[in-house]
Amino acid sequence: MRSESAVPEGPGRAPDVVALARVVARQRAEIEELRQLSASSSVLERARGAVMALEGCSAGEAYEVLARRAAEADRTLMEECWNTLGKIRPGPLPAGRTPSSPAEKDSAANEPPTAGADETAAPRPGSARGALARAGARERGPASARTPAGGARASAAAQVLEGLGEALARVGGLQDLAQCLLDGLGEAVGADAVMIYSVMPAGELELTGHAGIAETAAACWSRLPPLSGVAVLEAIRTRRPVWLEDPERDGKRYLLIGGPAEPWRTRAWIPVIVGGAATTAIGILRTLEEPFTTGTRQLLCAAARLCAGRLRAFETPREEAVARQVRSVQRLFDALSGSAILLTPLRSPSGEVEDYRIDAAAPHSVDVLGRRGRELVGLRILECYPTLAGAELWHGYLHTLETGEPYEGPPFEYREVVSGVPESSTYSVRAARLGDGLVVSWNQHDDLARQERRLAHVQRLGNLGWADWDLTTDEINWSPQVYAIFDRDRALGPMTLEELPDALLPEDFPALAASVQGLLGEARPMDDRFRIMTPGGLKHVRIVAEAITDAAGTPVEIHGFFQDLTAQRQAELALIESERAMLTQQGVLRAERTLAARLQHALLPLPEHPLILADLRVDVAYLPAEGGISVGGDWYSAIELPDGSALFVVGDTVGHGIDAVATMAQLRFTAKGMVITGSSLTGALARLNALLLHTHDAHKTSATMVLARYYPGTRRLTWAQAGHPPPLLLRRGTARYLERPVGILLGATPQPAYAEAECRLEPGDHVLFYTDGLIERPREDLDKGFARFAEAARTELAEGSGSLWNLLSSMLEGERRDDVCLLDVHLSPEGGPGRGE
């Protein structure tokens, strides 16, 4: 930018004195107007803060109070502000600090001489210090002189806020604010230290003010990452205070700022809400072990509200200048096409550079992780690129900051692990000082090489390669992957489009030749599949190509790619063959199921009505499995024997299909025949075990079974079992399983042991025989199934009003994976078979 002189350069050109005088007068008037406006804004902010302190209201409500008072008293708003401030006499400025604003200079000029050290040791009558102590003294005085405790505390809190409001009008920054809060609230709330944290652009927390803590501790806690478990960050995000009153308990949930070994026993973090948002929080640290009382909490929240208005005035001219500079640099960067960033050094309390923050970035700036442009703004160099610490580039930055000499280092390689994969890039970096910061630009030398590597990876993983044909020069280019697809020696060079059909199988030639003619003659895109015979065998190949034409529409270039689809085609053919085999097998299984179902129905007919056997009513229910296409081997038998007794048998053959049905028929008829001809229950089980062992040598099979015989004269039920679930007895509204006698499943061992058990039935009893499909569920303990069955049977059948189908509906949920057979033997309350005979 070039500046021009206001004085004429050539002879004979007199200056326009009148015009210059007008310009100077206008500029002076504008400066005076700005000065008055600045003073007025300061007075308004101070008056509003005073009203917030006295009334305990928000900033908006305080403004409305001032406006209403001005209207009622027929004053201007500024007159009412000065009237309000006249009622609150400002105190002296902190030691070592001179007035900065016009309002502060006026206040300092009207301030009476400061008392000596001895006088300031005790709180003055009108100050906030000791207000709560005086309120407590009044409460502890004689009964006749006491005021209500709540009123005294409220009055004391108001005095504390009044004094704090006076002091806040003089603070010039967050550091002053921390000391002001400690001085104004220390005795009132027992505060021993104050810490103020603000949220930075990158989301981290920075200690922007502190009082009452050592500088070493402040440096230790000067910056906090935006992580969970940080109480101050939680207070800012939720805009709610966080009260920490038990270090042991709170230390398990939060990071205790100041350290658990420090003397702070109780802490409070109160957000400062400005314009509905919170970016700053005030921390009150105490050595007291007692919790924060309700009055103390209210006082601290009121103090935070009081500070909200003051925070707006804390942006110093230097910070404004830095912000303007950053905005200007960003506007300049937005017009650049290269990579450039603005770095702001972050210094420790001792002044050493700890890190750099990116405050502006050109749109085309890209780092090794792929972050671009504005995505880089707010990041810190060492947090994102930790390997730069102590490197030559880092020392170059420091040298440029100290001397102002631009840094331009040699190309260097930067390595970073991205998602577990090492990434490296080569950069040339240049840095120049701009104010207190650095403008850094760089060139990345390996963009082209990286793109070529990525393209090679894509071609290899996708089994494809690109090809170009220049029809005007007859130049042909193939990528290395195309040679691999055709199994062609690279020394032979690529094929022409006219040679390509010669590599095809004869039956694929006509279709591809027509597509090539359309591409070359009419510039019609092609996407075809064909087969080629290579030294490595038959391959399935896809070609996709398009033509680039000249002004007359004649193709001059062909761009396309070849893709090896051999593996995909082989998988498709294998899938088709597998589907055919599956359909064939499914048809065989359906035929087998149909045959097995017919055999089962013929061998195991289900009665349409209840059976009456030996004074007992017998109900039968059978449900086949829903899943699969095989027929199961569950079965039952219920007959009356020649001597008037009744025989009940329920069995379950292992397996499904024709073999299971055949074994079921064999066991069913053999068991009935043995008992009818005089065998005992245990003897019949032993002979059936031998039958399975000797008639199924080719493929061993097994089965479970329960046999029961009922004698009506004595109402005695004897039973035996071979690895089968025990019967369930329902009696007088209760359900219990009968004690199982010894018995191993059939077909397990040549020397089994079986025993009988006995149960005497009473009128109204139900005895339920069943197979395991009724009680078993996937991934469920068998005991739960037994308990569920007992409860359902007691509910449905104990009163005599239910049915087996209702019982089955309550027990079976979802898809049945096994057959279910259920036999209900019932002795009516009258001692006979009951209703429905």
Side-chain angles (χ1 to χ4, degrees), residues 645-665:
S645 61
L647 176 66
F648 308 104
V649 188
V650 173
D652 185 1
T653 303
V654 175
H656 293 80
I658 297 295
D659 293 339
V661 172
T663 303
M664 175 268 291

Side-chain angles (χ1 to χ4, degrees), residues 305-380:
R305 290 194 299 270
L306 192 62
C307 294
R310 197 67 186 122
L311 286 181
R312 296 189 181 95
F314 284 166
E315 188 175 9
T316 65
R318 173 181 173 79
E319 292 171 337
E320 293 177 353
V322 171
R324 285 196 302 269
Q325 182 188 58
V326 169
R327 290 192 293 268
S328 299
V329 172
Q330 184 61 64
R331 285 195 296 270
L332 177 63
F333 280 176
D334 289 340
L336 297 179
S337 60
S339 299
I341 56 176
L342 174 64
L343 297 182
T344 298
L346 305 176
R347 301 181 182 274
S348 66
S350 61
E352 296 180 357
V353 177
E354 294 182 327
D355 204 345
Y356 295 91
R357 183 181 64 243
I358 302 176
D359 284 342
H364 299 284
S365 303
V366 184
D367 71 351
V368 69
L369 301 181
R371 289 174 292 212
R372 296 177 177 270
R374 296 295 179 91
E375 296 177 352
L376 300 171
V377 175
L379 300 180
R380 298 195 176 196

Side-chain angles (χ1 to χ4, degrees), residues 727-760:
L728 178 65
L729 173 64
L730 302 179
R731 175 174 293 171
R732 293 190 292 275
T734 62
R736 69 177 179 89
Y737 289 97
L738 299 181
E739 190 72 26
R740 289 178 60 187
V742 175
I744 193 171
L745 79 164
L746 303 177
T749 176
Q751 298 178 343
Y754 301 103
E756 292 184 358
E758 182 177 306
C759 174
R760 193 173 300 275

Side-chain angles (χ1 to χ4, degrees), residues 456-672:
H457 292 327
V458 170
Q459 294 184 76
R460 178 179 55 82
L461 295 174
N463 283 327
L464 55 85
W466 56 265
D468 292 332
W469 293 269
D470 190 330
L471 304 182
T472 59
T473 62
D474 292 332
E475 182 181 355
I476 304 174
N477 292 309
W478 275 10
S479 70
Q481 192 66 25
V482 178
Y483 288 97
I485 292 174
F486 282 85
D487 284 343
R488 184 177 176 88
D489 187 355
R490 299 187 63 175
L492 299 177
M495 296 180 185
T496 64
L497 286 175
E498 291 77 7
E499 293 175 335
L500 184 60
D502 297 336
L504 273 65
L505 294 186
E507 52 267 33
D508 293 345
F509 174 78
L512 185 63
S515 296
V516 172
Q517 289 299 325
L519 177 68
L520 297 177
E522 305 173 14
R524 187 171 61 241
M526 65 179 297
D527 186 346
D528 288 80
R529 300 188 181 192
F530 55 89
R531 293 169 295 171
I532 59 174
M533 185 59 68
T534 69
L538 180 68
K539 286 190 175 184
H540 297 261
V541 180
R542 176 192 180 195
I543 180 174
V544 178
E546 64 178 4
I548 305 299
T549 62
D550 59 11
T554 303
V556 294
E557 291 184 12
I558 303 295
H559 302 288
F561 68 85
F562 293 96
Q563 186 175 15
D564 187 354
L565 302 179
T566 305
Q568 177 182 338
R569 185 58 181 164
Q570 289 175 349
E572 292 175 354
L573 295 175
L575 180 60
I576 293 173
E577 186 64 27
S578 176
E579 289 178 349
R580 290 175 179 173
M582 184 178 66
L583 291 174
T584 302
Q585 182 66 18
Q586 195 172 21
V588 173
L589 292 176
R590 283 200 183 98
E592 181 180 335
R593 176 181 175 85
T594 301
L595 176 60
R598 290 178 180 176
L599 287 175
Q600 186 184 51
H601 182 70
L603 297 174
L604 189 65
L606 293 177
E608 297 181 357
H609 303 287
L611 302 176
I612 306 302
L613 303 174
D615 297 336
L616 297 176
R617 171 180 171 144
V618 181
D619 290 280
V620 181
Y622 176 84
L623 290 175
E626 292 180 345
I629 60 174
S630 296
V631 177
D634 291 19
W635 57 278
Y636 80 96
S637 181
I639 60 173
E640 188 168 323
L641 299 178
D643 61 356
S645 61
L647 176 66
F648 308 104
V649 188
V650 173
D652 185 1
T653 303
V654 175
H656 293 80
I658 297 295
D659 293 339
V661 172
T663 303
M664 175 268 291
Q666 186 182 41
L667 293 176
R668 183 170 184 264
F669 292 112
T670 303
K672 290 194 296 184

Side-chain angles (χ1 to χ4, degrees), residues 14 66 81 104 107 149 189 270 347 442 585 605 653 690 711 801 810 825:
L66 289 171
C81 290
E104 287 183 348
S107 300
V189 301
I270 304 97
R347 301 181 182 274
W442 68 90
Q585 182 66 18
T653 303
Y711 299 94
S801 59
S810 64
V825 176

